[in-house]
Amino acid sequence: RRRRRRRQKKGGTMCSVEKMLVKGVRSFSPYNEDAITFFKPLTIIVGPNGSGKTTVIECLKQACTGSLPPTCSKQRAAFIHDPKISGQAETRA
């Protein structure tokens, strides 16, 4: 007799992000205290131009992969708030 093997799923368990607090990244203030809550199975991010929709996605990518957005290397734009550029003495995290 042949024994049947159970096929195991590849990749393991999937994780999810429930909340994210963005401080000092592009248009988000370094003093921001409002967390973004993500809902299952889908969260839709809407808003007018310049409101930070792309920044939220880039922050998720940076948090999960550690890579900076492509616009930072091309334009030498600061992605994370730098107190030296803004003339502040300290950064609160």
Side-chain angles (χ1 to χ4, degrees):
R1 288 186 176 179
R2 282 188 175 175
R3 290 185 183 178
R4 289 188 180 184
R5 289 186 187 177
R6 280 188 168 176
R7 290 188 181 181
Q8 292 182 358
K9 293 181 182 179
K10 292 183 180 178
T13 307
M14 205 157 133
C15 64
S16 61
V17 177
E18 294 178 5
K19 287 184 179 182
M20 180 174 69
L21 176 61
V22 181
K23 284 185 165 188
V25 178
R26 293 204 177 135
S27 62
F28 288 87
S29 167
Y31 307 108
N32 180 34
E33 295 295 332
D34 299 323
I36 301 165
T37 304
F38 298 99
F39 299 98
K40 289 182 180 179
L42 177 69
T43 298
I44 298 174
I45 302 170
V46 294
N49 291 343
S51 63
K53 301 177 299 288
T54 303
T55 303
V56 169
I57 301 303
E58 290 173 341
C59 287
L60 277 170
K61 181 181 177 185
Q62 202 277 331
C64 294
T65 66
S67 62
L68 290 173
T71 54
C72 289
S73 60
K74 289 179 184 177
Q75 301 171 357
R76 294 190 175 234
F79 180 64
I80 299 171
H81 176 74
D82 186 354
K84 292 177 186 174
I85 294 172
S86 65
Q88 294 180 352
E90 65 181 52
T91 300
R92 295 181 184 186

Coordinates of all heavy atoms in Angstrom, one line a residue:
R1 N 0.8 -1.2 0.0 CA 0.0 0.0 0.0 C 0.9 1.2 0.0 O 1.9 1.3 0.7 CB -0.9 0.0 1.2 CG -2.0 -0.9 1.2 CD -2.8 -0.7 2.4 NE -4.0 -1.6 2.4 CZ -4.9 -1.6 3.3 NH1 -4.8 -0.8 4.3 NH2 -5.9 -2.4 3.2
R2 N 0.4 2.2 -0.7 CA 1.1 3.5 -0.7 C 0.5 4.5 0.4 O -0.8 4.5 0.6 CB 0.9 4.2 -2.0 CG 1.8 3.7 -3.0 CD 1.7 4.6 -4.2 NE 2.7 4.2 -5.2 CZ 2.7 4.7 -6.4 NH1 1.9 5.7 -6.8 NH2 3.6 4.3 -7.3
R3 N 1.3 5.1 1.1 CA 0.9 6.1 2.0 C 0.8 7.5 1.4 O 1.7 7.9 0.7 CB 1.8 6.2 3.2 CG 1.8 5.0 4.1 CD 2.6 5.3 5.3 NE 2.7 4.1 6.1 CZ 3.4 4.0 7.2 NH1 4.1 5.0 7.6 NH2 3.3 2.9 7.9
R4 N -0.3 8.1 1.6 CA -0.4 9.5 1.0 C 0.2 10.5 2.0 O -0.1 10.5 3.2 CB -1.9 9.8 0.8 CG -2.4 9.0 -0.3 CD -3.8 9.6 -0.6 NE -4.4 8.8 -1.7 CZ -5.5 9.1 -2.3 NH1 -6.2 10.1 -1.8 NH2 -5.9 8.4 -3.3
R5 N 1.0 11.3 1.4 CA 1.6 12.4 2.2 C 0.7 13.7 2.1 O 0.2 14.0 1.1 CB 3.0 12.8 1.7 CG 4.0 11.8 2.0 CD 5.3 12.3 1.6 NE 6.4 11.3 1.6 CZ 7.6 11.5 1.3 NH1 8.0 12.7 0.8 NH2 8.5 10.6 1.4
R6 N 0.6 14.3 3.2 CA 0.0 15.6 3.2 C 0.9 16.7 2.6 O 2.1 16.7 3.0 CB -0.4 16.1 4.6 CG -1.6 15.5 5.1 CD -2.0 16.2 6.4 NE -3.3 15.8 6.8 CZ -3.8 16.1 7.9 NH1 -3.2 16.9 8.8 NH2 -5.0 15.8 8.3
R7 N 0.4 17.4 1.7 CA 1.3 18.5 1.1 C 1.2 19.7 2.1 O 0.2 20.1 2.5 CB 0.8 18.9 -0.2 CG 1.0 17.8 -1.3 CD 0.6 18.4 -2.6 NE 0.9 17.4 -3.6 CZ 0.7 17.6 -4.9 NH1 0.2 18.7 -5.3 NH2 0.9 16.6 -5.7
Q8 N 2.4 20.2 2.4 CA 2.5 21.3 3.3 C 2.5 22.6 2.4 O 3.0 22.6 1.3 CB 3.7 21.3 4.1 CG 3.7 20.2 5.1 CD 5.0 20.2 6.0 OE1 5.9 21.0 5.7 NE2 5.1 19.3 6.9
K9 N 1.9 23.6 2.9 CA 1.8 24.9 2.2 C 3.2 25.5 2.2 O 3.9 25.5 3.3 CB 0.8 25.8 2.9 CG -0.6 25.4 2.7 CD -1.5 26.4 3.4 CE -3.0 25.9 3.3 NZ -3.9 26.9 3.9
K10 N 3.6 26.1 1.1 CA 4.9 26.8 1.1 C 4.7 28.2 1.6 O 3.6 28.8 1.4 CB 5.4 26.8 -0.4 CG 5.8 25.5 -0.9 CD 6.3 25.6 -2.3 CE 6.7 24.2 -2.8 NZ 7.2 24.3 -4.2
G11 N 5.7 28.7 2.2 CA 5.7 30.1 2.7 C 5.2 30.3 4.1 O 5.5 31.4 4.7
G12 N 4.5 29.4 4.7 CA 4.2 29.5 6.1 C 3.0 30.5 6.3 O 2.1 30.7 5.4
T13 N 2.9 31.1 7.5 CA 1.8 31.9 7.9 C 2.0 33.4 7.4 O 3.1 33.9 7.4 CB 1.7 32.0 9.4 OG1 1.7 30.6 9.9 CG2 0.5 32.7 9.9
M14 N 0.9 34.0 7.0 CA 1.0 35.4 6.5 C 0.8 36.3 7.7 O -0.1 36.0 8.6 CB -0.1 35.6 5.5 CG 0.2 36.6 4.5 SD -0.8 36.3 3.1 CE -1.5 37.8 2.8
C15 N 1.5 37.4 7.7 CA 1.3 38.4 8.8 C 0.6 39.6 8.3 O 0.5 39.8 7.1 CB 2.6 38.7 9.5 SG 3.7 39.6 8.4
S16 N 0.1 40.4 9.2 CA -0.6 41.6 8.8 C -0.2 42.8 9.7 O 0.2 42.6 10.8 CB -2.1 41.4 8.8 OG -2.5 41.1 10.1
V17 N -0.4 44.0 9.2 CA -0.2 45.2 10.0 C -1.5 45.7 10.4 O -2.4 45.9 9.6 CB 0.5 46.3 9.1 CG1 0.7 47.5 9.9 CG2 1.9 45.7 8.6
E18 N -1.6 45.9 11.7 CA -2.9 46.4 12.3 C -2.9 48.0 12.4 O -3.9 48.6 12.1 CB -3.2 45.8 13.6 CG -3.4 44.3 13.6 CD -3.6 43.7 14.9 OE1 -3.6 44.5 16.0 OE2 -3.7 42.5 15.0
K19 N -1.8 48.5 12.9 CA -1.7 50.0 13.1 C -0.3 50.4 12.7 O 0.7 49.7 12.8 CB -1.9 50.4 14.5 CG -3.3 50.3 15.0 CD -3.4 50.8 16.4 CE -4.9 50.7 16.9 NZ -5.0 51.3 18.2
M20 N -0.2 51.7 12.3 CA 1.1 52.3 11.9 C 1.0 53.8 12.3 O 0.1 54.5 12.0 CB 1.4 52.2 10.4 CG 2.7 52.8 10.1 SD 3.1 52.5 8.3 CE 2.0 53.5 7.5
L21 N 2.1 54.2 13.0 CA 2.2 55.6 13.4 C 3.3 56.2 12.6 O 4.5 55.7 12.6 CB 2.5 55.8 14.9 CG 2.8 57.2 15.4 CD1 1.6 58.0 15.2 CD2 3.1 57.1 16.9
V22 N 3.0 57.2 11.8 CA 4.0 57.9 11.0 C 4.4 59.2 11.6 O 3.5 60.1 11.7 CB 3.5 58.1 9.5 CG1 4.5 58.7 8.6 CG2 3.0 56.8 8.9
K23 N 5.7 59.4 11.9 CA 6.1 60.7 12.5 C 7.3 61.1 11.7 O 8.3 60.4 11.5 CB 6.6 60.4 14.0 CG 5.5 60.3 15.0 CD 6.1 60.2 16.4 CE 5.0 60.5 17.4 NZ 5.6 60.6 18.7
G24 N 7.3 62.4 11.4 CA 8.5 63.0 10.8 C 8.9 62.4 9.4 O 10.1 62.4 9.0
V25 N 7.9 62.0 8.6 CA 8.2 61.5 7.3 C 7.4 62.4 6.3 O 6.2 62.5 6.4 CB 7.8 60.0 7.1 CG1 8.0 59.6 5.7 CG2 8.5 59.2 8.1
R26 N 8.1 63.1 5.4 CA 7.5 64.0 4.4 C 6.5 64.9 5.0 O 6.8 65.7 5.9 CB 7.0 63.2 3.3 CG 8.1 62.5 2.5 CD 7.7 62.2 1.1 NE 8.8 61.7 0.4 CZ 8.7 60.6 -0.4 NH1 7.5 60.1 -0.6 NH2 9.7 60.2 -1.0
S27 N 5.2 64.8 4.7 CA 4.2 65.8 5.1 C 3.7 65.5 6.5 O 2.9 66.3 7.1 CB 3.1 65.8 4.1 OG 2.4 64.5 4.1
F28 N 4.1 64.4 7.1 CA 3.7 64.0 8.5 C 4.6 64.7 9.5 O 5.8 64.6 9.4 CB 3.7 62.5 8.7 CG 2.6 61.8 8.0 CD1 2.8 61.4 6.7 CD2 1.4 61.5 8.6 CE1 1.8 60.7 6.0 CE2 0.4 60.9 7.9 CZ 0.6 60.4 6.6
S29 N 4.0 65.4 10.4 CA 4.8 66.2 11.5 C 5.5 65.2 12.4 O 5.1 64.1 12.7 CB 3.8 67.0 12.3 OG 4.4 67.5 13.5
P30 N 6.7 65.7 12.9 CA 7.4 64.8 13.8 C 6.7 64.7 15.2 O 7.0 63.9 16.0 CB 8.8 65.6 14.0 CG 8.6 66.9 13.4 CD 7.4 66.8 12.5
Y31 N 5.6 65.5 15.3 CA 4.9 65.5 16.6 C 3.5 64.8 16.4 O 2.6 64.9 17.2 CB 4.6 66.9 17.1 CG 5.9 67.7 17.2 CD1 6.3 68.7 16.3 CD2 6.9 67.4 18.2 CE1 7.5 69.4 16.4 CE2 8.1 68.0 18.3 CZ 8.4 69.0 17.4 OH 9.6 69.7 17.4
N32 N 3.3 64.2 15.2 CA 2.1 63.5 14.9 C 1.8 62.4 16.0 O 2.7 61.6 16.3 CB 2.1 62.9 13.5 CG 0.9 62.1 13.1 OD1 -0.2 62.5 13.5 ND2 1.0 61.1 12.4
E33 N 0.6 62.3 16.5 CA 0.2 61.3 17.4 C -0.9 60.4 16.9 O -1.5 59.6 17.7 CB -0.2 61.9 18.8 CG 1.0 62.6 19.5 CD 2.1 61.7 19.9 OE1 1.8 60.5 20.2 OE2 3.2 62.2 20.0
D34 N -1.3 60.6 15.7 CA -2.5 59.8 15.1 C -2.0 58.6 14.4 O -1.3 58.7 13.4 CB -3.3 60.7 14.2 CG -3.9 61.9 14.9 OD1 -4.3 61.8 16.0 OD2 -3.9 63.0 14.2
A35 N -2.4 57.4 14.9 CA -2.0 56.2 14.2 C -3.0 55.9 13.1 O -4.2 56.2 13.2 CB -2.0 55.0 15.2
I36 N -2.5 55.2 12.0 CA -3.4 54.8 11.0 C -3.8 53.3 11.3 O -2.9 52.5 11.5 CB -2.7 54.8 9.6 CG1 -2.2 56.3 9.3 CG2 -3.5 54.3 8.5 CD1 -1.2 56.4 8.3
T37 N -5.1 53.0 11.3 CA -5.6 51.7 11.6 C -5.9 51.0 10.3 O -6.6 51.6 9.5 CB -6.8 51.7 12.5 OG1 -6.4 52.4 13.7 CG2 -7.2 50.3 12.9
F38 N -5.4 49.8 10.1 CA -5.7 49.0 8.9 C -6.7 48.0 9.2 O -6.6 47.3 10.2 CB -4.4 48.4 8.3 CG -3.4 49.4 7.9 CD1 -2.3 49.7 8.8 CD2 -3.5 50.0 6.7 CE1 -1.4 50.6 8.4 CE2 -2.5 50.9 6.3 CZ -1.5 51.2 7.2
F39 N -7.8 47.8 8.4 CA -8.9 46.9 8.6 C -8.7 45.7 7.7 O -8.2 45.8 6.6 CB -10.2 47.6 8.4 CG -10.4 48.8 9.4 CD1 -10.2 50.1 8.9 CD2 -10.8 48.6 10.7 CE1 -10.3 51.1 9.8 CE2 -11.0 49.6 11.5 CZ -10.8 50.9 11.1
K40 N -9.3 44.5 8.2 CA -9.3 43.3 7.4 C -10.6 43.2 6.7 O -11.6 43.6 7.3 CB -9.0 42.1 8.2 CG -7.6 42.0 8.7 CD -7.4 40.8 9.5 CE -6.0 40.7 10.1 NZ -5.8 39.5 10.9
P41 N -10.7 42.8 5.5 CA -9.6 42.3 4.6 C -9.0 43.3 3.8 O -8.0 43.1 3.1 CB -10.4 41.3 3.7 CG -11.7 41.9 3.5 CD -12.0 42.5 4.9
L42 N -9.5 44.6 3.8 CA -9.0 45.6 2.9 C -9.1 47.0 3.5 O -10.1 47.3 4.2 CB -9.9 45.6 1.6 CG -9.6 46.6 0.5 CD1 -8.2 46.3 -0.1 CD2 -10.7 46.5 -0.5
T43 N -8.1 47.8 3.3 CA -8.2 49.2 3.7 C -8.0 50.1 2.5 O -7.0 49.8 1.8 CB -7.1 49.6 4.8 OG1 -7.4 48.8 5.9 CG2 -7.2 51.0 5.1
I44 N -8.8 51.0 2.2 CA -8.7 51.9 1.1 C -8.2 53.2 1.6 O -8.8 53.8 2.5 CB -10.0 52.0 0.3 CG1 -10.4 50.6 -0.2 CG2 -9.9 53.0 -0.9 CD1 -11.8 50.6 -0.9
I45 N -7.2 53.8 1.0 CA -6.6 55.1 1.3 C -7.0 56.1 0.3 O -6.6 55.9 -0.9 CB -5.1 55.0 1.5 CG1 -4.7 53.9 2.6 CG2 -4.5 56.3 1.9 CD1 -3.3 53.6 2.6
V46 N -7.8 57.1 0.6 CA -8.2 58.1 -0.3 C -8.0 59.5 0.3 O -7.9 59.6 1.5 CB -9.8 58.0 -0.6 CG1 -10.0 56.7 -1.4 CG2 -10.6 58.1 0.6
G47 N -7.8 60.4 -0.6 CA -7.6 61.8 -0.2 C -7.1 62.7 -1.4 O -6.8 62.1 -2.4
P48 N -7.1 64.0 -1.2 CA -6.7 64.9 -2.3 C -5.2 64.8 -2.5 O -4.5 64.2 -1.7 CB -7.1 66.3 -1.7 CG -7.1 66.1 -0.3 CD -7.5 64.7 0.0
N49 N -4.8 65.3 -3.6 CA -3.4 65.3 -4.0 C -2.6 66.0 -2.9 O -3.0 67.0 -2.3 CB -3.1 66.1 -5.3 CG -3.6 65.3 -6.5 OD1 -3.9 64.1 -6.4 ND2 -3.8 66.0 -7.6
G50 N -1.4 65.4 -2.5 CA -0.6 66.0 -1.5 C -1.0 65.7 -0.1 O -0.4 66.2 0.9
S51 N -1.9 64.8 0.1 CA -2.4 64.5 1.5 C -1.6 63.4 2.2 O -1.8 63.2 3.4 CB -3.9 64.2 1.5 OG -4.1 63.0 0.8
G52 N -0.7 62.7 1.5 CA 0.1 61.7 2.1 C -0.2 60.2 1.8 O 0.3 59.3 2.4
K53 N -1.0 60.0 0.8 CA -1.4 58.6 0.4 C -0.2 57.8 0.0 O 0.0 56.7 0.6 CB -2.4 58.6 -0.7 CG -3.7 59.3 -0.4 CD -4.6 59.3 -1.6 CE -4.1 60.0 -2.8 NZ -4.0 61.4 -2.8
T54 N 0.6 58.3 -0.8 CA 1.8 57.6 -1.3 C 2.8 57.5 -0.1 O 3.5 56.4 0.0 CB 2.5 58.3 -2.5 OG1 1.5 58.4 -3.5 CG2 3.7 57.6 -3.0
T55 N 2.9 58.4 0.7 CA 3.8 58.4 1.9 C 3.4 57.2 2.8 O 4.3 56.5 3.3 CB 3.8 59.7 2.6 OG1 4.2 60.8 1.7 CG2 4.8 59.7 3.8
V56 N 2.2 57.0 3.0 CA 1.7 55.9 3.8 C 2.2 54.5 3.2 O 2.7 53.7 3.9 CB 0.2 55.9 4.0 CG1 -0.3 54.6 4.6 CG2 -0.3 57.1 4.8
I57 N 2.0 54.4 1.9 CA 2.5 53.2 1.2 C 4.0 53.0 1.3 O 4.5 51.9 1.5 CB 2.0 53.1 -0.2 CG1 0.5 53.2 -0.3 CG2 2.5 51.9 -1.0 CD1 -0.3 52.2 0.4
E58 N 4.7 54.1 1.1 CA 6.2 54.1 1.2 C 6.7 53.7 2.6 O 7.7 53.1 2.8 CB 6.8 55.4 0.7 CG 6.6 55.5 -0.8 CD 7.0 56.9 -1.4 OE1 7.1 57.9 -0.6 OE2 7.3 57.0 -2.6
C59 N 5.9 54.2 3.6 CA 6.3 53.9 5.0 C 6.1 52.4 5.3 O 6.9 51.8 6.0 CB 5.5 54.8 6.0 SG 6.0 56.5 6.0
L60 N 5.0 51.9 4.8 CA 4.8 50.4 4.9 C 5.9 49.6 4.2 O 6.4 48.7 4.8 CB 3.4 50.0 4.3 CG 2.2 50.2 5.1 CD1 0.9 50.0 4.3 CD2 2.2 49.3 6.3
K61 N 6.3 50.0 3.0 CA 7.3 49.3 2.3 C 8.7 49.5 3.1 O 9.4 48.5 3.2 CB 7.5 49.9 0.9 CG 8.6 49.2 0.1 CD 8.8 49.8 -1.2 CE 9.9 49.1 -2.0 NZ 10.2 49.7 -3.3
Q62 N 9.0 50.6 3.6 CA 10.2 50.8 4.3 C 10.2 50.0 5.6 O 11.2 49.4 6.0 CB 10.4 52.3 4.6 CG 11.8 52.8 4.9 CD 12.2 52.5 6.4 OE1 11.4 52.5 7.3 NE2 13.5 52.3 6.6
A63 N 9.1 50.0 6.3 CA 9.0 49.2 7.6 C 9.1 47.7 7.3 O 9.7 47.0 8.1 CB 7.7 49.5 8.3
C64 N 8.6 47.2 6.2 CA 8.6 45.8 5.9 C 9.9 45.3 5.2 O 10.3 44.2 5.5 CB 7.4 45.4 5.1 SG 5.8 45.6 5.9
T65 N 10.5 46.1 4.4 CA 11.6 45.7 3.6 C 12.9 46.4 3.9 O 14.0 46.0 3.6 CB 11.4 45.9 2.1 OG1 11.3 47.3 1.8 CG2 10.1 45.2 1.6
G66 N 12.8 47.6 4.5 CA 14.0 48.4 4.9 C 14.5 49.2 3.7 O 15.5 50.0 3.9
S67 N 13.8 49.2 2.6 CA 14.3 50.0 1.4 C 13.6 51.4 1.4 O 12.4 51.5 1.6 CB 14.1 49.2 0.1 OG 12.7 49.0 -0.1
L68 N 14.4 52.4 1.0 CA 13.8 53.7 0.8 C 13.1 53.8 -0.5 O 13.5 53.1 -1.5 CB 14.9 54.8 0.9 CG 15.5 54.9 2.3 CD1 16.7 55.9 2.3 CD2 14.5 55.5 3.3
P69 N 12.2 54.8 -0.7 CA 11.5 54.9 -1.9 C 12.5 55.4 -3.0 O 13.5 56.0 -2.7 CB 10.5 56.1 -1.7 CG 10.4 56.2 -0.2 CD 11.7 55.6 0.4
P70 N 12.2 55.1 -4.3 CA 13.1 55.5 -5.4 C 13.2 57.0 -5.5 O 14.3 57.4 -6.0 CB 12.4 54.9 -6.6 CG 11.1 54.4 -6.2 CD 11.0 54.3 -4.8
T71 N 12.3 57.8 -5.1 CA 12.4 59.2 -5.3 C 13.5 59.8 -4.4 O 14.0 60.9 -4.7 CB 11.0 59.9 -5.0 OG1 10.6 59.5 -3.7 CG2 10.0 59.6 -6.0
C72 N 13.8 59.1 -3.3 CA 14.8 59.7 -2.4 C 16.2 59.6 -3.0 O 17.0 60.6 -2.8 CB 14.8 58.8 -1.1 SG 13.4 59.1 -0.1
S73 N 16.5 58.6 -3.8 CA 17.9 58.5 -4.3 C 18.0 59.4 -5.6 O 19.0 59.9 -5.9 CB 18.2 57.1 -4.7 OG 17.3 56.5 -5.6
K74 N 16.9 59.5 -6.4 CA 16.9 60.3 -7.6 C 17.0 61.8 -7.3 O 17.9 62.5 -7.9 CB 15.7 60.0 -8.5 CG 15.7 58.6 -9.1 CD 14.5 58.4 -9.9 CE 14.4 57.0 -10.4 NZ 13.1 56.8 -11.1
Q75 N 16.2 62.3 -6.5 CA 16.1 63.7 -6.2 C 16.8 64.2 -5.0 O 16.9 65.3 -4.6 CB 14.6 64.2 -6.1 CG 13.8 63.8 -7.3 CD 12.3 64.1 -7.0 OE1 11.9 64.4 -5.9 NE2 11.5 63.9 -8.0
R76 N 17.4 63.2 -4.3 CA 18.1 63.5 -3.0 C 17.2 64.1 -2.0 O 17.6 64.9 -1.2 CB 19.4 64.3 -3.2 CG 20.4 63.5 -4.0 CD 21.7 64.3 -3.9 NE 22.7 63.5 -4.6 CZ 23.9 63.1 -4.0 NH1 24.2 63.5 -2.8 NH2 24.7 62.4 -4.7
A77 N 15.9 63.8 -2.1 CA 14.9 64.3 -1.2 C 15.0 63.6 0.1 O 15.3 62.4 0.2 CB 13.5 64.2 -1.8
A78 N 14.7 64.3 1.2 CA 14.7 63.7 2.5 C 13.4 63.0 2.7 O 12.4 63.5 2.6 CB 15.0 64.7 3.6
F79 N 13.5 61.7 3.0 CA 12.3 60.9 3.3 C 11.9 61.0 4.8 O 10.8 61.2 5.1 CB 12.5 59.4 2.9 CG 11.4 58.5 3.2 CD1 10.2 58.7 2.5 CD2 11.5 57.5 4.1 CE1 9.1 57.9 2.7 CE2 10.4 56.6 4.3 CZ 9.2 56.8 3.6
I80 N 12.9 60.9 5.7 CA 12.7 61.0 7.1 C 13.1 62.4 7.6 O 14.1 62.9 7.1 CB 13.5 59.9 7.8 CG1 13.0 58.5 7.3 CG2 13.4 60.0 9.3 CD1 13.9 57.4 7.8
H81 N 12.3 63.0 8.5 CA 12.5 64.3 9.0 C 14.0 64.5 9.5 O 14.4 63.7 10.4 CB 11.5 64.6 10.1 CG 11.7 65.9 10.7 ND1 11.4 67.1 10.1 CD2 12.2 66.3 11.9 CE1 11.6 68.1 10.9 NE2 12.1 67.6 12.0
D82 N 14.7 65.5 9.0 CA 16.0 65.8 9.5 C 16.0 67.1 10.2 O 15.7 68.1 9.6 CB 17.0 65.8 8.3 CG 18.4 66.0 8.8 OD1 18.7 66.1 10.0 OD2 19.3 65.9 7.9
P83 N 16.3 67.1 11.6 CA 16.2 68.4 12.3 C 17.3 69.4 11.9 O 17.0 70.6 12.0 CB 16.4 67.9 13.8 CG 17.1 66.6 13.7 CD 16.6 66.0 12.4
K84 N 18.3 68.9 11.3 CA 19.4 69.9 10.8 C 18.9 70.7 9.7 O 19.1 71.9 9.6 CB 20.6 69.1 10.4 CG 21.3 68.4 11.5 CD 22.5 67.6 11.0 CE 23.1 66.8 12.2 NZ 24.2 65.9 11.7
I85 N 18.1 70.1 8.8 CA 17.5 70.8 7.6 C 16.5 71.8 8.1 O 16.4 72.9 7.6 CB 16.9 69.8 6.6 CG1 18.0 69.0 6.0 CG2 16.1 70.6 5.5 CD1 17.5 67.8 5.1
S86 N 15.6 71.4 9.0 CA 14.5 72.3 9.5 C 15.0 73.3 10.6 O 14.2 74.1 11.0 CB 13.4 71.5 10.0 OG 13.8 70.8 11.2
G87 N 16.2 73.2 11.1 CA 16.7 74.1 12.1 C 16.3 73.8 13.5 O 16.4 74.6 14.4
Q88 N 15.8 72.6 13.7 CA 15.4 72.2 15.1 C 16.6 71.5 15.8 O 17.5 70.9 15.2 CB 14.3 71.2 15.0 CG 13.0 71.8 14.5 CD 11.9 70.8 14.4 OE1 12.1 69.6 14.7 NE2 10.7 71.3 14.2
A89 N 16.6 71.6 17.1 CA 17.7 71.1 17.9 C 17.6 69.6 18.2 O 18.5 68.9 18.4 CB 17.7 71.8 19.3
E90 N 16.3 69.0 18.1 CA 16.2 67.6 18.4 C 15.0 67.0 17.6 O 14.2 67.7 17.1 CB 15.9 67.4 19.9 CG 14.6 68.0 20.4 CD 14.3 67.8 21.9 OE1 15.2 68.1 22.7 OE2 13.2 67.3 22.2
T91 N 15.1 65.7 17.5 CA 14.0 65.0 16.9 C 13.3 64.1 17.9 O 14.0 63.3 18.6 CB 14.5 64.1 15.8 OG1 15.2 64.9 14.8 CG2 13.4 63.3 15.1
R92 N 12.0 64.2 18.0 CA 11.2 63.4 19.0 C 10.7 62.2 18.2 O 10.1 62.3 17.2 CB 10.1 64.2 19.6 CG 10.6 65.3 20.4 CD 9.4 66.0 21.0 NE 9.9 67.2 21.7 CZ 9.2 68.0 22.5 NH1 7.9 67.7 22.6 NH2 9.7 69.0 23.1
A93 N 10.9 61.0 18.7 CA 10.5 59.8 18.1 C 9.5 59.0 19.0 O 9.4 59.2 20.1 CB 11.6 58.9 17.7

